[in-house]
Amino acid sequence: MDRGLAVVLTAAVGGLVALQAPVNSGLGRVVGTFQGALVSFLVGTALLVVLASVADGGLGQVAEARHVAWYYLVGGALGVAYVCTVLVTVRSLGAGGVTAATIAGQLTMALVVDQLGILGVAKNPVTAGRLLGVVLLAGGVYLIVRD
């Protein structure tokens, strides 16, 4: 995929992710925090069953997951941690604060992953410019969440 198209597509979906916290929070207020997260994941799972069944290889490919290292299977648990956390924190931080803090955490961890070259990602050393980007992003989070 063209890099420019990849950036546009990722940014567009990132905008949708910003909607995830308030949508799930509203659901959680009605049905309960963890119950809301469960409903959210059930809806997502149903959609993924449909998508995976029509994708190349179909649902049969799912069985291949038994051949991957255990740490490649924790993605769902990481999603649960995110959804359950932001479902509650959006009530005090707002959608902007949750999104800013999420992005800051993602970028910080991504730099660690890049530096170490772990989880199948090619090594990409942390530079002064990248560190400055994280510091500026942290400053942005502060400006967004302060009262």
Side-chain angles (χ1 to χ4, degrees), residues 4 15 30 37 50 58-59 61 82 104 108 112 119 127 129 131 141 147:
V30 174
V50 171
L59 290 176
Q61 289 297 110
Y82 173 74
T108 302
V112 171
L119 300 172
T127 62
L131 285 176
V141 171
D147 286 327

Side-chain angles (χ1 to χ4, degrees), residues 23-144:
V23 165
N24 283 340
S25 181
L27 177 63
R29 275 189 233 128
V30 174
V31 303
T33 298
F34 295 110
Q35 295 83 353
L38 175 63
V39 170
S40 177
F41 274 93
L42 288 174
V43 170
T45 299
L47 178 59
L48 283 172
V49 167
V50 171
L51 291 173
S53 66
V54 299
D56 189 34
L59 290 176
Q61 289 297 110
V62 174
E64 295 303 310
R66 69 183 185 274
H67 300 296
V68 301
W70 67 268
Y71 46 84
Y72 288 123
L73 299 175
V74 301
L78 299 174
V80 167
Y82 173 74
V83 168
C84 289
T85 300
V86 301
L87 196 148
V88 175
T89 60
V90 72
R91 296 172 193 165
S92 60
L93 297 178
V98 163
T99 301
T102 298
I103 292 168
Q106 288 175 325
L107 183 60
T108 302
M109 183 56 73
L111 288 183
V112 171
V113 169
D114 282 349
Q115 174 67 29
L116 300 176
I118 58 175
L119 300 172
V121 175
K123 278 191 172 189
N124 194 0
V126 174
T127 62
R130 289 174 171 231
L131 285 176
L132 178 60
V134 169
V135 169
L136 290 172
L137 191 54
V141 171
Y142 170 75
L143 292 173
I144 290 169

